Amino acid sequence: MVAERWDESEDLKLSDALDRTDWSFYSGSQLTFGPGAIRALQSVINRRKLKRVLVVTDTVLSEAGIVAQAENVLAKTSADWTLFTEGEVEPSTSTVARVAELANSFQPDLFVAIGGGSNMDLAKAAAASFTHNMDAERMLGFDQVPGPTTPLVCLPTTAGTGSEVTHSAVLKSAATGQKGAILSQYLRPDVAIVDPNLTISCPPKVTAECGFDAITHAIEALLVNRWSNLTEDQNHGLPYEGNHPLGDLFAEKAISLIASNLQRAVGAAESIRSRSGMALAATLAGMAFSSCGVSLAHALEYPLGAKYGCSHGIGNAIVLPAVMRFWIPERETQLARIATLLGVVRADTMPPREAAEAGIQMLEKLRASVQLPSKLSEVGATHADIQGLAENSLKAKRLLDLSPRKANLEDITAMLSASM
Ligand SMILES: [Fe+2]
């Protein structure tokens, strides 16, 4: 299997020399993983002789005692700290401005984010805004952050977005009301401290939704357009590199971890083994997709969240099987590999197309086992909505460009109809 994919990249000929011949992998400087890893915050601060820490979190995590755990570690250092506890779901650029304002008066030499993707994204954007004295609105898009930011440590409390290792911050623009993202390699948190104990209080429904966001990241990272098919801007690089061998490594491990741990993490919240499996999977999937990319599932999901208010994980879970089926003609070998990773017995002995379909059905079973909706109608969509949803999906050009099979309006309409 691996040899086969290497052959694909070695197919480059001299005549392709002007096309892309290399790929990159980006990451922060430290990942500390494991139950009790929160202790590592102490050595990060002491080793770097940091003195002023701005913690970005929310009231729910304060009340759950998770912020107190971090404060206990901070108390063992000589640093002063202050808290911003007004993190929100889908943080807006105006909230980023409020955190940056607090930073201007406190002058932190370290940001610490505690929470799910929303709090981490808020802290990433605020660190960039504070460092460069620049409104977050001006940083939306790719490569608009002028340079490195004040260091940031992320402590995720959900296993989903992988934001602790990614280069994106999803924000709601206070100017337009639209959701957008800052994409910059400078946004990757310096340190990710992934402590599965911090995810134990995450409720079953959120655990399932976040788990399906993570598996969507891993599956899309494996299936997006190959790195050698993308054209690079020599000044800015690419927001996503396209599928490459290092991404495969992380994505494959993430899929098998989710297949064997998600159900138990949802059903037996305090199983530290399954929480650990999911926490590691989400981080690995974050490393995979933030390098290789995500594509149609995310493009189809964004209008769903905006119109019906369903979570990002639910939207992904509903549309992902139809997207995978659309990609079979271009990616049957990789889809057959995914079937094996998801636990389809003897997938490696089946014809690839058959194995690919068996893998997709296995994913649908996993979705049902954690009580996630399987149809768009379950989040309130009607057939009359499909055209409008498809037209909005087409606006996510950056994601569509990563599709290994070109998708037009008709294709997207068909995928949404199949998800009804
Ligand atoms: Fe996602």
Side-chain angles (χ1 to χ4, degrees):
M1 184 63 62
V2 170
E4 195 174 322
R5 270 181 270 156
W6 273 112
D7 288 349
E8 223 182 290
S9 44
E10 285 164 4
D11 273 348
L12 289 169
K13 300 184 182 69
L14 273 181
S15 59
D16 295 329
L18 290 177
D19 293 334
R20 205 155 172 249
T21 56
D22 53 33
W23 52 265
S24 300
F25 180 79
Y26 299 88
S27 66
S29 68
Q30 179 181 341
L31 164 63
T32 299
F33 178 85
I38 192 171
R39 288 188 299 261
L41 184 56
Q42 187 180 345
S43 63
V44 168
I45 291 171
N46 288 342
R47 210 174 55 231
R48 299 176 185 216
K49 300 184 173 53
L50 299 167
K51 294 291 175 209
R52 301 182 72 74
V53 181
L54 197 165
V55 179
V56 176
T57 187
D58 62 53
T59 48
V60 174
L61 294 167
S62 293
E63 282 160 17
I66 291 178
V67 178
Q69 288 182 47
E71 289 191 282
N72 288 340
V73 179
L74 290 169
K76 292 177 184 164
T77 71
S78 57
D80 292 330
W81 72 89
T82 191
L83 302 179
F84 181 90
T85 56
E86 292 165 62
E88 59 193 353
V89 178
E90 297 192 350
S92 73
T93 49
S94 58
T95 309
V96 174
R98 287 174 53 218
V99 181
E101 201 179 297
L102 175 61
N104 277 327
S105 63
F106 184 71
Q107 291 294 311
D109 51 15
L110 179 71
F111 283 75
V112 170
I114 306 172
S118 297
N119 289 353
M120 291 190 275
D121 289 0
L122 173 61
K124 285 165 146 179
S129 183
F130 163 66
T131 309
H132 298 291
N133 193 23
M134 194 170 171
D135 196 307
E137 297 275 348
R138 289 176 52 208
M139 294 187 280
L140 289 168
F142 174 57
D143 207 25
Q144 301 301 307
V145 179
T149 76
T150 303
L152 166 65
V153 175
C154 280
L155 287 148
T157 58
T158 60
T161 65
S163 188
E164 65 276 10
V165 289
T166 72
H167 64 328
S168 61
V170 178
L171 303 171
K172 192 181 258 182
S173 162
T176 65
Q178 299 293 310
K179 232 163 101 169
I182 304 177
L183 279 170
S184 165
Q185 301 302 348
Y186 295 123
L187 233 53
R188 287 186 198 272
D190 236 37
V191 180
I193 297 178
V194 183
D195 184 339
N197 286 341
L198 304 185
T199 67
I200 290 205
S201 61
C202 183
K205 185 171 175 289
V206 180
T207 301
E209 292 171 11
C210 291
F212 255 82
D213 186 25
I215 203 165
T216 306
H217 293 158
I219 288 174
E220 292 216 277
L222 268 175
L223 299 176
V224 289
N225 222 336
R226 297 272 313 166
W227 58 271
S228 52
N229 293 334
L230 303 179
T231 308
E232 192 162 339
D233 172 337
Q234 291 303 320
N235 292 322
H236 299 280
L238 282 165
Y240 295 106
E241 291 285 307
N243 171 256
H244 62 55
L246 194 54
D248 287 350
L249 197 68
F250 293 127
E252 290 186 3
K253 184 69 181 172
I255 293 168
S256 60
L257 279 169
I258 294 169
S260 49
N261 289 288
L262 180 58
Q263 244 180 298
R264 194 161 162 71
V266 171
E270 297 199 357
S271 159
I272 196 63
R273 182 186 290 253
S274 57
R275 290 293 193 177
S276 294
M278 286 307 301
L280 181 57
T283 300
L284 295 179
M287 290 164 95
F289 96 81
S290 69
S291 191
C292 300
V294 287
S295 183
L296 289 183
H298 277 73
L300 268 62
E301 187 283 322
Y302 287 132
L304 300 177
K307 190 167 172 66
Y308 308 111
C310 62
S311 75
H312 178 60
I314 284 182
N316 281 335
I318 294 173
V319 300
L320 181 59
V323 170
M324 290 166 78
R325 288 192 174 97
F326 177 72
W327 282 337
I328 288 177
E330 293 295 328
R331 283 283 187 265
E332 63 176 18
T333 309
Q334 288 82 357
L335 280 156
R337 172 75 182 137
I338 289 170
T340 299
L341 297 166
L342 288 170
V344 174
V345 179
R346 291 186 171 279
D348 54 342
T349 63
M350 296 176 188
R353 195 158 285 226
E354 198 180 304
E357 177 55 35
I360 297 166
Q361 288 176 19
M362 187 63 112
L363 186 76
E364 289 169 330
K365 271 190 211 158
L366 180 65
R367 182 179 63 188
S369 76
V370 293
Q371 274 94 50
L372 287 177
S374 61
K375 295 187 173 81
L376 285 174
S377 54
E378 292 174 70
V379 297
T382 65
H383 284 281
D385 296 339
I386 286 180
Q387 182 75 13
L389 292 170
E391 283 166 6
N392 280 334
S393 296
L394 274 183
K395 292 177 188 161
K397 192 177 171 313
R398 188 174 284 141
L399 302 180
L400 297 181
D401 285 348
L402 284 158
S403 176
R405 183 178 167 199
K406 203 166 166 34
N408 58 26
L409 185 64
E410 212 169 273
D411 298 320
I412 292 175
T413 303
M415 282 180 261
L416 290 170
S417 298
S419 308
M420 281 300 288

